[in-house]
Amino acid sequence: MTSIGGAEMVDWNLAVATATRLVRPGPEVSRDEAREVVAELRRHAKASEEHVRGFTRMGTDDLHDTPILVVDRPGWVRANVAGFRELLKPLLDKMQERRGTTPGGAVLGAVGGKVTGVELGMLLSFLSSRVLGQYETFAPATRELPAGENGGGRLLLVAPNIVHVERELDVEPHDFRLWVCLHEETHRTQFTAVPWLRDHLEGEIQSFLGETEVDPMTVLERIREAAQSLAGGRPEGEEDDGGRSLVEIVQTPAQREILGRLTAVMSLLEGHADFVMDGVGPDVVPSVGEIREKFQQRRARGASRLDLALRKLLGLDAKLKQYRDGERFVRAVVDQVGMDGFNRVWTSPNTLPTKTEIAKPADWVARVHRKAES
């Protein structure tokens, strides 16, 4: 990146620097309190392993192959930039080749890489104060971001955000921290107990990116249409888009099909984590009822009008819907066929629910269980 000809399509270093510069400061805590929070989160994450494995009946020998990292907001940014860089590499390489055949492409690419780096940094600075935890699986292992020897990811717990939310909700801190760890530990268990899950998700994402139209003029035109729609104005003769997010509007038909499958998987993963945290909660988190009620209210209302607007633009409202729909799916299936019957969902990509089945759990039960019994 020291020369224009070698510039990347995204200036990743600039993205990290921008996000780190713009990220909002976390809650005020003393040094001793910060140490106590980090130590407690580590203890809760460790304790959550047994709780989650016992409740879900998802055993795995690779759980200890994935480290637990308690991070601050810049640490979360660096981890996600590393993951994006790895995940987007095939698409960016494709765009780099296209740029090389365009007159002036090297100069435009150098400028565009910096612009994109700044934009990505701004987005990550916004998200970094909202994420409580994450199972990150795509970034390669480094000294700052260790991973397991068998290619596992790492569990990230964002300490300042957890403290901020527990204070905002005015809930018992120790209970809230364990409750959050139960959710994130469920994601860790999903990926370590289901060895094909990571590769399946990566394959779907790469298929989605492979359908991206890399011609700059085409992309600009699609973004222009998206912007008009979000602003309330549409090209003459076009129907209303139904309030879709920017991410949805710029997709090709093939991408929408892939996104339907990805949406179903993410709904399953998020809903399963919510189901587990509430299922385990009453036995180990005394104030789980109060925490869930206040947290759901916070999810629904958003922090501000700007927050609501950005959630819509970025498609984060769809993620909130995934929690609700996915949890209903898991609960309905477990009620009908029990936990072991539900766990057939992890057998192979073919037993994952479709987007339609997420809304109609009985259809999944009929397809997977009746077929297996016939």
Side-chain angles (χ1 to χ4, degrees), residues 254-306:
Q255 285 176 314
R256 292 193 188 102
E257 182 178 341
I258 298 168
L259 185 74
R261 297 196 298 268
L262 279 170
T263 298
V265 176
M266 297 311 298
S267 296
L268 170 69
L269 299 181
E270 296 294 357
H272 184 233
D274 266 14
F275 176 78
V276 171
M277 72 196 297
D278 287 345
V280 174
D283 292 332
V284 298
V285 183
S287 59
V288 64
E290 177 191 3
I291 291 173
R292 165 56 75 187
E293 181 180 359
K294 290 183 175 181
F295 194 75
Q296 290 286 56
Q297 292 173 354
R298 181 181 185 272
R299 272 182 179 173
R301 69 175 181 264
S304 66
R305 182 175 297 179
L306 174 61

Side-chain angles (χ1 to χ4, degrees), residues 108-133:
L108 290 174
V111 175
K114 293 190 177 300
V115 171
T116 306
V118 169
E119 291 172 341
L120 178 59
M122 293 172 66
L123 170 61
L124 289 172
S125 72
F126 168 76
L127 295 175
S128 68
S129 62
R130 286 157 173 77
V131 177
L132 301 181

Side-chain angles (χ1 to χ4, degrees), residues 38 215 274 307 344 366:
V38 170
D215 177 69
D274 266 14
D307 188 56
R344 288 193 187 179

Side-chain angles (χ1 to χ4, degrees), residues 19-311:
T20 302
R21 185 174 66 253
L22 295 178
V23 71
R24 291 187 290 181
E28 291 187 10
V29 295
S30 67
R31 183 169 296 181
D32 287 342
E33 185 179 2
R35 289 197 186 101
E36 290 175 4
V37 170
V38 170
E40 184 173 24
L41 287 173
R42 289 186 181 279
R43 289 196 303 271
H44 284 332
K46 184 68 176 176
S48 295
E49 294 179 12
E50 183 176 351
H51 295 315
V52 170
R53 292 178 70 173
F55 184 80
T56 64
R57 303 179 190 174
M58 296 174 69
T60 170
D61 295 329
D62 293 331
L63 197 59
H64 302 292
D65 193 43
T66 56
I68 300 167
L69 306 178
V70 181
V71 299
D72 58 10
R73 290 168 178 174
W76 179 87
V77 167
R78 288 191 292 271
N80 277 268
V81 166
F84 286 151
R85 188 171 191 168
E86 184 72 12
L87 202 56
L88 295 176
K89 189 177 186 301
L91 172 65
L92 297 180
D93 286 348
K94 184 178 177 181
M95 296 181 72
Q96 186 107 349
E97 292 176 6
R98 177 69 62 90
R99 187 191 70 187
T101 62
T102 303
V107 175
L108 290 174
V111 175
K114 293 190 177 300
V115 171
T116 306
V118 169
E119 291 172 341
L120 178 59
M122 293 172 66
L123 170 61
L124 289 172
S125 72
F126 168 76
L127 295 175
S128 68
S129 62
R130 286 157 173 77
V131 177
L132 301 181
Q134 173 187 357
Y135 184 75
E136 203 296 312
T137 184
F138 295 115
T142 64
R143 185 175 181 178
E144 285 190 346
L145 200 63
E149 294 180 0
N150 297 327
R154 70 284 295 167
L155 179 63
L156 306 176
L157 297 169
V158 191
N161 296 349
I162 294 173
V163 172
H164 171 78
V165 174
E166 71 191 26
R167 290 179 179 178
E168 178 187 336
L169 298 181
D170 190 25
V171 293
E172 210 290 316
H174 305 294
D175 285 2
F176 183 75
R177 294 167 194 174
L178 176 55
W179 188 71
V180 170
C181 286
L182 289 171
H183 181 101
E184 303 308 332
E185 181 60 36
T186 302
H187 287 317
R188 184 166 172 243
T189 298
Q190 289 164 349
F191 280 91
T192 52
V194 186
W196 52 263
L197 183 58
R198 179 196 179 280
D199 289 342
H200 173 71
L201 271 179
E202 184 176 16
E204 291 281 59
I205 292 170
Q206 292 302 336
S207 296
F208 181 90
L209 296 175
E211 292 291 333
T212 299
E213 298 177 15
V214 296
D215 177 69
M217 293 306 297
T218 301
V219 173
L220 286 174
E221 178 65 18
R222 296 178 74 86
I223 292 176
R224 181 188 66 81
E225 293 173 3
Q228 287 178 338
S229 176
L230 290 167
R234 300 181 302 280
E236 185 177 355
E238 289 192 5
E239 296 182 357
D240 192 339
D241 58 71
R244 291 179 294 158
S245 70
L246 177 62
V247 175
E248 292 174 298
I249 294 170
V250 299
Q251 291 161 7
T252 65
Q255 285 176 314
R256 292 193 188 102
E257 182 178 341
I258 298 168
L259 185 74
R261 297 196 298 268
L262 279 170
T263 298
V265 176
M266 297 311 298
S267 296
L268 170 69
L269 299 181
E270 296 294 357
H272 184 233
D274 266 14
F275 176 78
V276 171
M277 72 196 297
D278 287 345
V280 174
D283 292 332
V284 298
V285 183
S287 59
V288 64
E290 177 191 3
I291 291 173
R292 165 56 75 187
E293 181 180 359
K294 290 183 175 181
F295 194 75
Q296 290 286 56
Q297 292 173 354
R298 181 181 185 272
R299 272 182 179 173
R301 69 175 181 264
S304 66
R305 182 175 297 179
L306 174 61
D307 188 56
L308 290 171
L310 286 171
R311 273 176 25 181

Side-chain angles (χ1 to χ4, degrees), residues 354-365:
T354 65
K355 190 176 179 180
T356 300
E357 289 170 341
I358 286 288
K360 297 180 178 180
D363 289 358
W364 179 86
V365 172

